[in-house]
Amino acid sequence: MRHGRAKSSRRTLQFYRLNAPHILKSPYKILLDGTFLAASIRNKVPLRDRFSKTLQNAEFSFYVTRSTLMELGNLAEEADKATKNEGKGKRNYHATNSEEDVGAILRMARQFGLDECEIIETDDIPSDPSTEGSDGSPKKKRNKAFKNFSDASIDIFRLSTVGGKNDFSYFVATQDDALSDALRSKPHVPLFRLGRAVLLLESPSAASRRFASGVERDKLASAGGLMTLEERRIVDVLKKKEKAKIKEEIEEEEQKAKKRDAEQFGVSFGGAFSQRKKRIRAKGPNPLSCKKRKAS
């Protein structure tokens, strides 16, 4: 692993270690989707070796949903049918990783999920109230957030956003842009993706950083979480009284300063209207500065 990628991965893991310690519990749980599995097979990526280096040799386990395996199987069958219909029984021996090999790649990806991953059954996936009716049955109209999602993507989204902050502690590995964008809008969902044959751990999303900042502000307001709600209310009341007292003192000082200035510059505040003191004026010209009259 290059030094830059290793440094970025360490920073990302340190962020989650400080702000979401429930995620970094050994062994780490890595949830793989079908697009990621297919991309790893296509690019011949040794997943266990790459994940071990990225996660600094920590223990981890692969997970896959039952819906992902079903999706890979269905796509492999459709790819095989399309190849037979287009080729009409003629095999193109010069093709490598072409449409003709898609079915084989998808079958290998599904087999990897069966052999190397722990399978999460559909019944074990928490339901989303926004996609269910009042009786618990699924709605006919899908939630707008899941408009472009397959059933496998919906299951992965639900698993990795339980409690609003990934309470099940999953790292998600996907090549699906729509799913990645949706997960970036939720706090504390670490994302893996492949850049051809390079495994990348994304930096914490803006949602994760905002959530962490909010938690830090709450800690500061509650003395590190040691104050009860009633104690916080008492502190707020005392702060308001202190601010009002300081404001009154400032206003009193300003009034005193105005009065001093007025007395110094000759302004009296005795009546409703301020009146200036009368200046003592000369009654006549200074005789010493006048020319003497000539004697006639």
Side-chain angles (χ1 to χ4, degrees):
M1 178 184 279
R2 296 293 179 89
H3 177 69
R5 291 200 301 273
K7 187 176 181 180
S8 176
S9 297
R10 284 197 300 271
R11 285 180 176 176
T12 301
L13 292 174
Q14 182 66 10
F15 173 87
Y16 289 116
R17 189 173 290 111
L18 294 173
N19 298 288
H22 66 281
I23 294 176
L24 295 184
K25 289 182 180 178
S26 183
Y28 299 160
K29 298 194 292 186
I30 302 172
L31 184 58
L32 310 176
D33 85 331
T35 58
F36 186 88
L37 286 171
S40 66
I41 297 297
R42 183 182 294 109
N43 293 294
K44 300 178 181 178
V45 180
L47 288 182
R48 288 204 173 272
D49 179 57
R50 298 293 170 82
F51 274 104
S52 179
K53 289 180 179 178
T54 303
L55 297 174
Q56 302 175 359
N57 298 318
E59 294 183 4
F60 60 89
S61 299
F62 289 140
Y63 290 81
V64 68
T65 61
R66 178 65 67 181
S67 55
T68 297
L69 297 176
M70 293 175 62
E71 183 181 62
L72 288 170
N74 294 335
L75 291 174
E77 291 178 2
E78 291 177 6
D80 290 341
K81 290 179 182 178
T83 301
K84 289 179 181 178
N85 293 335
E86 290 178 3
K88 294 182 180 179
K90 296 181 181 179
R91 183 177 177 84
N92 184 4
Y93 293 97
H94 300 287
T96 57
N97 287 345
S98 61
E99 291 183 357
E100 170 166 39
D101 299 318
V102 170
I105 290 172
L106 294 172
R107 281 192 298 275
M108 291 173 67
R110 181 176 182 276
Q111 195 60 42
F112 182 92
L114 290 170
D115 296 340
E116 301 291 335
C117 304
E118 296 185 31
I119 300 173
I120 303 172
E121 300 295 340
T122 305
D123 294 338
D124 298 331
I125 297 172
S127 58
D128 184 0
S130 63
T131 58
E132 289 187 352
S134 57
D135 58 348
S137 60
K139 291 180 181 179
K140 292 182 179 180
K141 189 174 181 181
R142 190 175 276 183
N143 188 355
K144 290 182 180 179
F146 301 147
K147 184 178 180 181
N148 299 321
F149 284 10
S150 63
D151 291 338
S153 295
I154 292 174
D155 288 345
I156 291 171
F157 182 86
R158 288 177 179 172
L159 279 170
S160 55
T161 57
V162 172
K165 51 184 175 61
N166 195 5
D167 286 348
F168 285 178
S169 309
Y170 283 112
F171 289 74
V172 178
T174 180
Q175 300 293 98
D176 188 341
D177 291 335
L179 178 59
S180 297
D181 290 340
L183 292 175
R184 289 188 192 104
S185 67
K186 301 294 182 180
H188 301 335
V189 184
L191 289 175
F192 282 103
R193 60 184 174 85
L194 284 173
R196 294 191 179 179
V198 179
L199 181 66
L200 302 171
L201 174 60
E202 291 190 2
S203 299
S205 64
S208 298
R209 295 187 184 279
R210 283 196 300 270
F211 189 87
S213 298
V215 171
E216 289 299 320
R217 284 195 298 271
D218 291 341
K219 285 182 179 179
L220 290 173
S222 62
L226 300 176
M227 295 173 60
T228 63
L229 183 60
E230 186 63 28
E231 289 172 340
R232 288 181 64 179
R233 287 176 181 171
I234 293 171
V235 170
D236 291 339
V237 171
L238 291 175
K239 283 182 177 179
K240 288 180 180 178
K241 289 183 178 179
E242 186 68 22
K243 286 181 180 179
K245 185 178 179 182
I246 292 171
K247 187 176 180 181
E248 289 177 1
E249 291 177 353
I250 291 173
E251 290 178 352
E252 188 177 348
E253 287 294 328
E254 288 178 352
Q255 291 294 333
K256 288 180 179 179
K258 287 180 181 179
K259 193 172 182 180
R260 283 196 302 268
D261 293 342
E263 291 175 355
Q264 182 179 355
F265 293 102
V267 180
S268 62
F269 292 89
F273 299 95
S274 299
Q275 296 179 354
R276 290 187 177 275
K277 289 183 179 180
K278 293 182 179 180
R279 290 185 181 180
I280 300 173
R281 297 182 181 275
K283 295 179 180 179
N286 187 354
L288 297 177
S289 64
C290 296
K291 286 184 178 182
K292 292 182 180 180
R293 293 183 180 181
K294 293 180 179 179
S296 54

